[in-house]
């Protein structure tokens, strides 16, 4: 890995150096004496690759790069405060979901022109969803994607391939044991494997992030997506595109939340204290469950040296549904074929340039440097980066992943799942309206109330919808509606 | 208290004392063993004994002291400088004020008296810090103290002053005024009397108060988050960041916890004799 | 400003000199944030298109919204529960242990340092440690928890069980503070009353109820007041252990303010904070005027 890394680094330096040199007609140290400051989150994921690439970029251009790290929860107010009052950050690496707040306040620099002049970024190799939806806002591009975030289902391939399991499953449920195609199948499989003893250890059916102040609202989105969206990305699942009424308490969400609550029976007893971190560790380090829902991270984490899942990992697109909720007709409709709707939850860490930065070009060049294939092809294969595949080059071949330590079959399986998710034209976009963080906070509480049984799923979702309406009204319904429509690339209603 | 105690009472006392010792020590021990576990051992059920139940690895320690030392070191030293600097300042300024409030009567506009003044100090600690960080941020940006060690030292001094005033007040009150009065007769000024007579007598209290505010400054998070950026970041920010989005890195958290306790612990051990006497401090009469 | 202890101008100046630096530092550092957050609590903020943050004055609207919000009252209830149960527990344990530490038992010098450690750890790190220890599936207590049958209780689904976890964590962290303060108080007690009581043949229990406890009352009520004020700000323990869940069962008002602040709703954050200040001030004043005044009188 190290050798390859050096090789890549060298190639990257050379190409970037050449390009920069040619473009500027001067030596490589084009930013000597300049300092740029970039803020992001330290998990240590996300912070790690930026910190690692900063000295490389410094060597290449002579610029000084400061990377400032905060916790995830404090990142949003920290960036806003700075852009509002100080502009000490030249760029921030954050979730496209927050574009609603940042762009509408005018804090971010449109990057279309910069991208046009940066062929080494290979912009067109980025999967269309991230280029056209994630990175853009109201027709302009604001972000350089580093990370392809959408959720998938992981399963224990070794258990699925076991002949005895297959026979027993078939007898019990009357269909073939395979990667779950629908949420109903997912449930059956969780039930089937829950309590089974594997390698001397009792395992659970599934692990999913259910705790508060974590990722539970994204899991709910993943579970509801296939029930709610069937007409492609522009349909959206969170708000009515005509009046900004919340869809969160529609039957599709109610069903998803009810089914999700039901899964607790097949999960560890303290599942309500699981965030994504516990899910990842439980699934890849303790091998305690048959199924898991996560972003792409479990794939690269399976290659870690103390992973127990290497060679046993199956990945698949988020399960779909044989019927979907028709929100206009208010009824369930049987789908012609299984309806898949992978959910680009969170949207993937991406970099954006502060419109008031004094060093916009240098800052963009750094972001571009991190996003270029030379760097990103490598980064997406390493668990600690937290970066998941988002370029066609990333899932063209499993070789890079195998080199990074993944099992060959695991890698092939993983890239297939990523490919089929990314190519799906029915990918669900996360909501990107101003106040996204507030909508999310309301969802966080409601989901927890339902999962813990304090409220029925319907009541909890009604509660969220009421909160959402309050937020929408406070921020201006018409304004929010237009922005929501823009995010889905719909024309503005006037 | 010279009476011979029945054996069963002594036994009960030992059980209670050692029982609490276990309650305190177990989580600390667990932090220690977690810091030398591999990731999979952390998540594979309770393993207590290194070498016997699991093979210890130094990965997390290496990450702190070797791989990422260049990032950690500056934060570590920032923490030390800022905590020490602000605590010393707070103790000096605070004990002066505290002494004034104990010994002299201040009246302002016929209304504001000592009691109100000391309440004014104390009330500074009621407001949750999140309510003030953003105004502070703007203030510090304006006066160019943002992201400097000096800036954080000033902030922490101000935030810890109320504690010092509060704690020291009652301690000074317990020192007989006569001692100072005899010093006045010898021609000492008030400040001299304070420095030569009262201060040495209250040294244990000062030390204990110092330790208190040191711990608070050392561990402060939210103000540091907003008033520092790259040059003046402190350790708690690093620790808080460990459990975020993508996985609880228990072994790393354990290492960071242990290395952050270490300096304060060393100081505490060193000052232990003063603590038990010194905390008579204001704590005492409140 | 003038002083009454003396009319001499120089002396006045020197007496003022003691107080002034602290007054100036605290005033300068707090006045701007205090006033601006008070003003902020009476505004509504939004991002205008391209124009950054806009503030609009709305009077007490944020306050009235909060007062009619079930979440606010829920979190206040939780806070009061944590404060009163937690502080009572910490005081009871702290007093008992402080008494033990004066008994010249073997190992007590070591224990005096050991018992201090929890409060020296960064609060958020204490919360992480508690999260590891209170994980009854893979934490150190797992075997005991499984043997006694409480490992599989719905710790994170049941409101009261989750609250119990937060109280346990908070108690672990802050009992040391009470111990050390009370220990100091105990050591400062005069010997004479005990000697007299011994002559009269009092039992240890009588000595405790009639001498130690009353004499210790000023210190006790003092430390309880400090803990009360600080306990209202509890954030780290619930945020790490339970995230405030299930629902809002372990969400304190400070945590509510923190979550609100994270969504950059600064006006609401400031309003929550000021409401909390009102509550703490009322409780603190009541406590000071009723319980503590009594205590000081009893102690003479």
């Amino acid at each position: 890995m190290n050798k390859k890394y050096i090789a890549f680094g060298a190639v990257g330096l050379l190409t970037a150096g050449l390009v920069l040199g040619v473009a500027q007609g001067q030596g490589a140290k084009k930013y000597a004496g300049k300092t740029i400051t970039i803020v992001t989150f330290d998990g240590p994921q996300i912070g790690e690759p930026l910190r690692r690439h900063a000295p490389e970029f410094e060597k290449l251009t002579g610029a000084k790069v400061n990377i400032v790290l905060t916790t995830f929860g404090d990142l949003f107010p920290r960036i806003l405060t700075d852009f509002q009052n100080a502009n000490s950050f030249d760029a921030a690496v954050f979730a496209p979901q927050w574009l609603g707040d940042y762009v509408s306040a005018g804090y971010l620099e449109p990057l279309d022109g910069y991208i046009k002049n940066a062929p080494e970024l290979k912009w067109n190799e980025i999967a269309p969803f991230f280029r056209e939806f994630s990175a853009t806002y109201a027709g302009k591009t604001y972000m350089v994607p580093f990370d392809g975030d959408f959720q998938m289902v992981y399963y224990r391939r070794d258990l699925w391939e076991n002949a005895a399991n297959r026979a027993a499953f078939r007898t019990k449920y009357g269909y073939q044991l395979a990667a779950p195609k629908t949420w109903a199948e997912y449930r059956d499989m969780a039930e089937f494997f829950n309590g089974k003893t594997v390698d001397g250890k009792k395992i659970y059916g599934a692990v999913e992030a259910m705790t508060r102040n974590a990722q539970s609202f994204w899991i709910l989105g993943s579970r509801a997506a296939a029930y709610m969206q069937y007409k492609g990305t522009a349909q959206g699942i969170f708000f009515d595109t005509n009046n900004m009424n919340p869809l969160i308490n529609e039957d599709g969400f109610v069903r998803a939340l009810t089914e999700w609550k039901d899964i607790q029976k097949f999960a560890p007893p303290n599942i309500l204290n699981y965030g994504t971190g516990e899910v990842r560790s439980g699934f890849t380090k303790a091998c305690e469950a048959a199924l898991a829902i996560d972003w792409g991270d479990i794939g690269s984490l399976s290659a870690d040296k103390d992973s127990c899942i290497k060679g046993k990992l199956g990945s698949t697109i988020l399960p779909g549904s044989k019927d979907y909720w028709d929100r206009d007709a208010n009824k369930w409709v049987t789908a012609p074929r299984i309806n898949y709707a992978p959910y680009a939850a969170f949207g993937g860490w991406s970099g954006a340039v502060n419109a008031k930065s004094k060093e916009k070009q240098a800052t963009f060049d750094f972001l571009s440097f991190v996003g270029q294939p030379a760097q990103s092809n490598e980064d997406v294969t390493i668990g600690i980066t937290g970066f998941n595949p988002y370029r066609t080059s990333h899932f063209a071949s499993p070789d890079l992943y195998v080199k990074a330590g993944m099992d060959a079959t695991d890698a092939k399986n993983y890239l297939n799942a990523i490919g089929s998710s990314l190519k799906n034209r029915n990918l669900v976009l996360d909501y990107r309206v101003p106040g996204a963080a507030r909508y999310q906070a309301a969802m966080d509480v409601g989901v927890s109330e339902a999962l813990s049984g304090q409220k029925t799923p319907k009541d909890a979702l009604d509660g969220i919808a009421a909160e959402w309406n309050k937020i929408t009204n406070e921020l201006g319904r018409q304004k929010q509606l237009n922005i929501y429509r823009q995010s889905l690339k719909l024309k503005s209603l006037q | 208290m010279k009476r011979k105690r029945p054996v069963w009472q002594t036994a009960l006392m030992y059980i209670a004392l050692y029982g609490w010792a276990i309650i305190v020590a177990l989580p600390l021990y667990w932090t220690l063993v977690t810091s030398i576990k591999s990731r999979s051992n952390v998540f594979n059920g309770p393993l207590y004994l290194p070498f016997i139940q699991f093979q210890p690895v130094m990965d997390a320690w290496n990450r702190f002291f070797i791989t990422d030392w260049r990032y950690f070191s500056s934060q570590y030293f920032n923490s030390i400088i800022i905590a020490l600097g602000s605590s010393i300042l707070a103790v000096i300024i605070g004990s002066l004020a505290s002494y004034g409030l104990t010994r002299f009567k201040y009246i302002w506009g016929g209304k504001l008296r000592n009691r109100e003044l000391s309440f004014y100090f104390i009330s500074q600690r009621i407001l949750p810090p999140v309510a003030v960080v953003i105004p502070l941020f703007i203030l510090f940006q304006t006066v160019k103290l943002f992201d400097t060690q000096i800036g954080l030292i000033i902030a922490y001094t101000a935030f810890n002053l109320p504690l010092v005033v509060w704690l020291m007040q009652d301690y000074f009150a317990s020192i007989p005024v006569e001692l100072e009065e005899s010093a006045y007769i010898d021609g000492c000024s008030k400040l001299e009397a304070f420095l030569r007579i009262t201060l040495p007598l209250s040294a244990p209290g000062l030390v204990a108060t110092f330790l208190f505010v040191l711990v608070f400054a050392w561990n402060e998070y939210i103000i540091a988050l907003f008033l520092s950026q790259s040059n003046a970041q402190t350790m708690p920010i690093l620790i808080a960041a460990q459990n975020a989005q993508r996985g609880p890195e228990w072994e790393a958290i354990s290492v960071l916890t242990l290395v952050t306790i270490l300096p304060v612990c060393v100081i505490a051990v060193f000052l232990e004799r003063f603590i038990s006497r010194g905390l008579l401090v204001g704590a005492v009469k409140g | 400003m003038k002083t009454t202890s003396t009319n001499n101008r120089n002396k006045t100046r020197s007496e003022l000199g003691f107080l002034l630096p602290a007054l100036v530092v605290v005033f300068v550092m707090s006045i701007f944030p205090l006033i601006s957050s008070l003003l902020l609590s009476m505004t509504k903020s939004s991002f205008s298109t391209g124009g950054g943050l806009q503030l609009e004055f709305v009077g007490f609207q944020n306050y009235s919204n909060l007062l009619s919000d079930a979440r606010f009252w829920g979190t206040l209830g939780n806070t009061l529960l944590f404060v009163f149960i937690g502080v009572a527990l910490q005081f009871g344990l702290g007093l008992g242990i402080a008494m033990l530490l004066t008994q010249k038992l073997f190992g007590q010098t070591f224990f005096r340092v050991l018992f201090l450690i929890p409060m020296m750890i960064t609060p958020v790190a204490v919360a992480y440690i508690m999260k590891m220890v209170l994980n009854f599936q893979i934490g150190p207590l797992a075997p005991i928890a499984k043997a006694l049958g409480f490992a599989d209780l719905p710790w994170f689904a049941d409101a009261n069980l989750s609250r119990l976890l937060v109280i346990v964590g908070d108690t672990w962290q802050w009992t040391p503070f009470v111990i050390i303060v009370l220990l100091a108080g105990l050591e400062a007690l005069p010997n004479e009353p005990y000697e007299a009581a011994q002559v009269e043949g009092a039992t240890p229990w009588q000595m405790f109820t009639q001498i130690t406890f009353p004499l210790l009352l000023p210190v006790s009520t003092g430390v309880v007041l400090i803990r009360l004020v600080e306990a209202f700000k509890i954030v780290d323990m619930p945020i790490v252990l339970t995230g405030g869940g299930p629902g809002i069962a372990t969400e304190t008002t400070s945590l509510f303010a923190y979550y609100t602040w994270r969504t950059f709703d600064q006006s609401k954050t400031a309003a929550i904070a000021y409401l909390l200040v009102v509550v703490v001030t009322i409780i603190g004043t009541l406590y000071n005027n009723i319980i503590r005044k009594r205590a000081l009188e009893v102690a003479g």
Side-chain angles (χ1 to χ4, degrees), chain B residues 62-107:
Chain B
N62 286 340
R63 195 180 127 210
F64 181 86
F65 283 106
I66 298 169
T67 324
D68 286 351
W69 175 245
R70 64 191 177 113
Y71 308 117
F72 293 140
S73 59
S74 67
Q75 286 181 302
Y76 206 51
F77 293 125
N78 276 338
S79 266
I80 292 175
I81 291 168
I82 291 165
L84 279 178
S86 68
S87 306
I88 292 170
L89 266 178
V91 165
I92 294 174
I93 302 175
S95 53
L96 278 172
S98 182
Y99 180 77
L101 284 170
T102 332
R103 287 290 189 265
F104 316 124
K105 290 204 177 75
Y106 299 103
I107 294 178

Side-chain angles (χ1 to χ4, degrees), chain A residues 195-203 282 285-288, chain B residues 43-45:
Chain A
K196 283 232 175 343
T197 303
V198 178
D199 303 331
K201 184 174 166 167
K202 214 186 96 184
I203 63 161
K285 301 296 191 289
C287 282
E288 63 178 14
Chain B
F43 283 91
N44 264 318

Side-chain angles (χ1 to χ4, degrees), chain A residues 41-42 44-45 51 68 71-72 74 78 81 86 88-89 201 215 277 280-281 285-286 297 305-306 349 386, chain B residues 38-40 43-44 59 71 137-138 141 146 221 225-226 228-229 233 240-242 244-249:
Chain A
F41 132 94
D42 185 22
Q45 293 84 353
R51 268 182 171 174
V68 178
T71 68
F72 178 69
D74 299 321
R78 187 71 183 81
T81 311
S88 63
F89 297 142
K201 184 174 166 167
Q215 301 82 8
R280 286 174 190 161
S281 304
K285 301 296 191 289
D297 298 60
K305 69 174 167 121
D306 51 1
W349 292 92
Chain B
S38 68
R39 205 68 195 287
S40 57
F43 283 91
N44 264 318
D59 292 6
Y71 308 117
F137 174 87
I138 297 167
Q141 280 283 349
F146 172 73
Y221 168 68
L225 172 71
F226 265 74
S228 72
Q229 176 169 296
Q233 279 218 325
Q242 295 304 313
Q245 190 82 339
R246 308 236 168 187
E249 311 227 323

Side-chain angles (χ1 to χ4, degrees), chain C:
Chain C
M1 193 184 267
K2 62 173 182 166
T3 74
T4 55
S5 64
T6 166
N7 291 322
N8 181 306
R9 239 190 127 87
N10 284 333
K11 279 188 178 170
T12 307
R13 197 172 292 155
S14 73
E15 285 177 1
L16 255 184
F18 281 94
L19 190 60
L20 219 52
L23 264 186
V24 168
V25 171
V26 172
F27 186 78
V28 167
M29 281 294 295
S30 65
I31 194 72
F32 175 67
L34 278 177
I35 292 177
S36 46
S37 45
L38 187 63
L39 289 178
L40 207 57
S41 76
M42 299 188 193
T43 61
K44 196 178 85 173
S45 56
S46 63
F47 292 105
S48 72
T49 310
L53 193 69
Q54 302 283 309
L55 295 175
E56 179 197 337
F57 187 78
V58 294
F60 289 94
Q61 195 191 312
N62 291 318
Y63 290 96
S64 64
N65 285 348
L66 279 172
L67 292 176
S68 60
D69 185 349
R71 183 161 174 196
F72 173 75
W73 292 108
T75 60
L76 190 61
N78 296 332
T79 311
L80 293 174
L81 192 83
F82 290 149
V83 168
F84 289 118
I85 296 184
V87 174
L89 257 179
Q90 289 154 29
F91 178 72
L93 281 169
L95 180 60
I97 293 156
M99 302 266 304
L100 282 176
L101 284 178
T102 60
Q103 298 297 315
K104 310 273 177 288
L105 298 174
F106 176 75
Q108 60 154 324
T109 320
F110 168 72
F111 290 142
R112 282 183 180 203
V113 175
L114 175 70
F115 290 178
L116 262 188
I117 293 179
M119 70 167 233
M120 297 190 166
I121 306 172
T122 308
V124 66
V126 180
Y128 288 145
I129 292 176
M130 284 294 114
K131 187 164 183 172
M132 290 194 275
V133 172
L134 297 176
N135 184 328
F136 299 126
Q137 301 299 320
I138 56 172
L141 300 173
I144 302 174
K146 284 193 174 126
L148 298 179
F150 64 83
D152 291 350
L153 289 179
W155 286 102
F156 299 97
D158 183 89
N160 287 325
L161 287 176
S162 310
R163 289 178 181 134
L164 181 63
L165 291 179
V166 174
I167 290 175
V168 167
D170 194 51
T171 303
W172 189 81
Q173 182 177 13
W174 288 112
T175 304
F177 178 75
V178 182
I179 293 176
I180 196 84
V181 171
L182 292 184
L183 179 63
L186 282 170
E187 292 199 337
L189 294 183
N191 275 326
E192 296 78 16
Y194 291 98
E195 283 158 9
Q198 216 154 18
V199 172
E200 287 168 24
T203 64
W205 178 246
Q206 284 170 327
M207 287 203 220
F208 173 75
T209 53
Q210 288 167 22
I211 305 171
T212 314
F213 194 74
L215 281 180
L216 206 59
L217 267 176
V219 187
S220 304
T221 51
V223 73
V224 167
L225 184 63
I226 301 177
R227 280 298 305 138
L228 274 182
V229 170
E230 299 286 321
F232 271 97
K233 294 192 281 186
I234 177 173
V235 163
D236 300 285
M237 198 56 74
I239 204 176
V240 171
L241 282 187
T242 61
I248 55 158
T250 55
E251 187 169 293
T252 59
T253 310
S254 295
L255 183 53
F256 181 32
Y258 186 53
Y259 278 149
T260 308
W261 172 79
R262 278 182 166 185
T263 67
F264 213 71
D265 192 346
Q266 291 182 62
S267 310
K268 191 170 161 193
T269 307
I272 299 172
Y274 270 91
L275 283 178
L276 191 63
V277 168
V278 171
V279 173
V280 179
T281 311
I282 291 174
I283 291 177
T285 316
L286 283 178
Y287 177 89
N288 230 350
N289 289 345
I290 300 173
I291 298 177
R292 197 160 142 74
K293 215 170 127 199
R294 262 268 176 77
L296 294 174
E297 282 163 14
V298 168

Side-chain angles (χ1 to χ4, degrees), chain A residues 85-250:
Chain A
N85 303 297
N87 294 302
S88 63
F89 297 142
D90 296 292
V93 175
F94 57 89
Q97 211 181 1
W98 302 338
L99 278 182
D101 293 280
Y102 298 160
V103 175
S104 65
Y107 293 148
L108 299 182
E109 175 81 358
L111 299 179
D112 303 86
Y114 299 83
I115 290 166
K116 215 169 281 166
N117 295 326
E120 66 282 8
L121 182 55
K122 299 241 177 353
W123 185 253
N124 289 329
E125 280 184 6
I126 294 172
F129 176 82
F130 294 103
R131 248 187 304 139
E132 290 165 16
F133 284 98
S134 258
T136 65
Y137 193 89
K140 287 183 187 160
T141 308
Y142 289 96
M143 304 198 89
V144 180
F146 297 145
D147 175 25
D149 265 352
F150 44 89
Q151 296 198 317
M152 297 193 288
V153 158
Y154 298 90
Y155 60 98
R156 285 283 298 270
R157 199 161 40 79
D158 57 329
L159 304 184
W160 260 247
E161 284 166 357
N162 177 299
N165 286 340
R166 297 172 76 90
F169 187 87
R170 179 151 212 142
T171 318
K172 187 165 177 194
Y173 297 97
Y175 61 93
Q176 191 77 36
L177 178 61
K181 291 185 290 295
T182 64
W183 287 106
E185 291 186 12
Y186 178 95
R187 185 217 160 269
D188 290 346
M189 290 166 195
E191 180 186 53
F192 179 75
F193 284 105
N194 188 46
K196 283 232 175 343
T197 303
V198 178
D199 303 331
K201 184 174 166 167
K202 214 186 96 184
I203 63 161
Y204 299 102
V207 283
E208 299 173 30
M210 295 198 186
T211 191
R212 258 199 76 184
N213 187 32
Q215 301 82 8
S216 61
F217 34 83
W218 283 309
I219 305 285
L220 177 62
S222 282
R223 287 178 149 274
Y227 299 145
M228 293 297 296
Q229 183 176 293
Y230 47 92
K231 290 183 184 165
T233 302
Q235 190 182 14
I237 67 170
F238 294 103
F239 297 98
D240 188 319
T241 48
N242 294 315
N243 51 23
M244 201 63 190
N245 280 341
L247 300 175
I248 189 95
N249 54 347
E250 296 272 331

